[in-house]
Amino acid sequence: MTDAGPFRIPGHVRRAVTPASQRLVLNRRGSTVWDVEGSTGRVAVKLGYPSRTHAWTALAPAREGVILRALGSDVVTYGQWDQGTWNVQPWHAGTDLHYRWEPYRTRDEVSRPPVSDALACARALAELHDKGVVHGDVQPAHFILGGEPVRAALMPAPCPVPRAPCFFFTVKGALRGVSPGPGLPGAPEQG
């Protein structure tokens, strides 16, 4: 296991994105994520490292990069660094659904989150399914919402399942899908 981060963007990745500015977005459970504005535009730089509980988190950014490229994104790059793997992908502007709906999680009064947010998330998931793929880890923090009318992007990369049967199991109360797709890597945490 390595230090818990946050980690700086490795030199060889910095040279590729040449940041004019950067902002730490996230550092938790084996991932450090940077919002970078540079010569390639605005991108997300994701660094994977072994977490306290799972060594495989170090491999997640490269796995995500492979899957995004297989789904048609030719601007995603990925590789290795001292602690694990990394990827660079276009930035998705917006707010994750978990954070966006925080004001509605109350026991003090009746609250109604915007139906348009839920519809945008359902559409993003349906678009993925239309490509013959299931996500495998759908949760509010993985939907990025923004724009008017509201649109959603589903992050991180899905588990590829081109027309394969899907098996479900629970992990700490969360329903997870596992479907090994031919030629694409499944998530090691999903067996």
Side-chain angles (χ1 to χ4, degrees):
M1 192 199 75
T2 64
D3 185 22
F7 291 97
R8 292 188 173 129
I9 300 172
H12 64 289
V13 179
R14 286 186 69 77
R15 285 187 291 279
V17 297
T18 56
S21 66
Q22 64 186 50
R23 175 181 65 90
L24 179 65
V25 175
L26 171 80
N27 184 67
R28 69 181 174 93
R29 297 187 307 186
S31 293
T32 299
V33 179
W34 293 93
D35 174 3
V36 176
E37 185 73 43
S39 63
T40 57
R42 191 172 181 194
V43 296
V45 176
K46 297 184 177 187
L47 307 173
Y49 58 90
S51 71
R52 290 194 195 321
T53 54
H54 301 294
W56 48 258
T57 55
L59 304 176
R63 183 186 77 229
E64 183 176 330
V66 168
I67 293 167
L68 289 170
R69 290 192 69 114
L71 289 172
S73 179
D74 58 355
V75 295
V76 174
T77 57
Y78 58 91
Q80 293 182 311
W81 69 294
D82 292 345
Q83 304 296 329
T85 64
W86 58 269
N87 81 40
V88 175
Q89 60 182 275
W91 180 258
H92 294 278
T95 306
D96 73 73
L97 181 65
H98 184 266
Y99 179 80
R100 187 170 171 132
W101 279 16
E102 189 171 7
Y104 302 103
R105 289 191 297 277
T106 178
R107 294 175 189 251
D108 299 332
E109 59 189 69
V110 175
S111 67
R112 298 193 196 293
V115 173
S116 58
D117 291 354
L119 182 57
C121 293
R123 283 185 176 138
L125 188 57
E127 288 170 11
L128 195 59
H129 289 175
D130 285 346
K131 294 178 182 177
V133 177
V134 295
H135 188 277
D137 189 15
V138 174
Q139 57 179 287
H142 290 170
F143 287 97
I144 308 299
L145 294 126
E148 279 299 323
V150 69
R151 296 246 337 129
L154 185 54
M155 305 304 282
C159 296
V161 197
R163 316 240 188 296
C166 191
F167 304 94
F168 291 93
F169 63 98
T170 58
V171 176
K172 296 181 184 174
L175 188 63
R176 304 282 178 113
V178 177
S179 298
L184 295 173
E189 69 273 23
Q190 296 178 327

